[in-house]
Amino acid sequence: MSVLVHVATALPDAARQPVLRRAAADAGARIAFLQGAEPTLVRVLDELQAEGVRELRLEPISTDDLGYARSWVGRVAGHWHREQVDPPTIHFGERVITGREAPLSSSAWDAPPDHRHHLLLCRGPRCSARGSDDTYRALVMALVETGLTDQDVLMAQTGCLFPCNHGPVAVVHPEGAWYGPVLPGDAARLVREHLAADRPLDDLRLPGSTVPTEGAS
């Protein structure tokens, strides 16, 4: 009998664990997380193999891009498959994992990329509940419209950044400027003024937690 594994792929899924675990239980499936929560996909595969399971099916579930989900679930499952002596049959969509999937390592991921600013946006439970998903989309759109690339702004979604009362919280490095709440309507101004023109937004900065930008008043 084939065992079904729900694979939650997006970082915000870590804040939806009770819902996802109930859905997996209702479907008679195991739950695994690609990022941000436990158990990870490789841990669930380890457990199933230890239990003697010889056939399983991976089903990505996500609040994010399913193309990304299919790529990374296959890549991680392929990495696990290559490290086993006698792996079970792993069905994934219309194909079977063979171990010949793209590796986890690549020369393109050998060193931190060049960038002027590192923008962190909290996707922890409180910030997610306060709409950081909409803020994320607004920031991405503003970066595109302003013509900023990864070399200008390296953006990352994170777990809890802790000053949760001000969520959604964002941090810009190397300045160490903490902002909140950053609403979708603030995204264009944050990108245009701070990230493009190096002018921090004093009205959005959290007091006592910032380092002034060099040369800024």
Side-chain angles (χ1 to χ4, degrees):
M1 183 178 67
S2 179
V3 173
L4 176 63
V5 180
H6 282 183
V7 186
T9 61
L11 186 61
D13 289 338
R16 304 171 58 238
Q17 292 186 54
V19 173
L20 297 177
R21 292 182 190 280
R22 284 196 298 271
D26 290 344
R30 298 284 188 95
I31 183 71
F33 293 86
L34 200 60
Q35 55 182 324
E38 299 289 341
T40 63
L41 175 55
V42 295
R43 293 292 169 260
V44 170
L45 294 175
D46 284 342
E47 292 170 2
L48 291 175
Q49 184 168 28
E51 294 169 13
V53 171
R54 298 305 305 157
E55 185 175 3
L56 59 101
R57 178 172 298 278
L58 304 179
E59 181 178 312
I61 54 173
S62 181
T63 56
D64 207 344
D65 177 20
L66 279 178
Y68 167 91
R70 294 187 186 98
S71 172
W72 278 102
V73 171
R75 191 185 293 262
V76 172
H79 167 77
W80 181 86
H81 189 285
R82 286 190 294 273
E83 295 190 334
Q84 310 308 310
V85 174
D86 184 24
T89 300
I90 304 175
H91 299 277
F92 181 46
E94 299 301 317
R95 61 192 176 97
V96 174
I97 297 296
T98 64
R100 294 190 293 273
E101 289 74 18
L104 296 183
S105 299
S106 164
S107 60
W109 303 323
D110 200 42
D114 293 332
H115 58 282
R116 290 193 303 113
H117 296 290
H118 199 180
L119 172 62
L120 309 179
L121 178 67
C122 182
R123 295 299 298 268
R126 293 178 181 87
C127 286
S128 293
R130 288 173 170 156
S132 60
D133 54 341
D134 290 334
T135 297
Y136 172 74
R137 285 188 286 270
L139 285 168
V140 170
M141 184 63 67
L143 289 169
V144 171
E145 292 176 348
T146 309
L148 298 180
T149 68
D150 287 347
Q151 290 187 328
D152 300 298
V153 181
L154 183 61
M155 184 175 180
Q157 301 176 77
T158 76
C160 182
L161 289 172
F162 289 101
C164 308
N165 292 341
H166 303 281
V169 174
V171 186
V172 177
H173 292 300
E175 296 88 331
W178 292 66
Y179 289 110
V182 181
L183 304 177
D186 301 313
R189 192 162 61 97
L190 177 60
V191 169
R192 184 177 62 250
E193 297 188 22
H194 189 161
L195 300 177
D198 293 318
R199 295 194 302 266
L201 305 179
D202 289 339
D203 59 310
L204 283 183
R205 292 169 70 178
L206 300 181
S209 61
T210 60
V211 177
T213 303
E214 183 179 353
S217 56

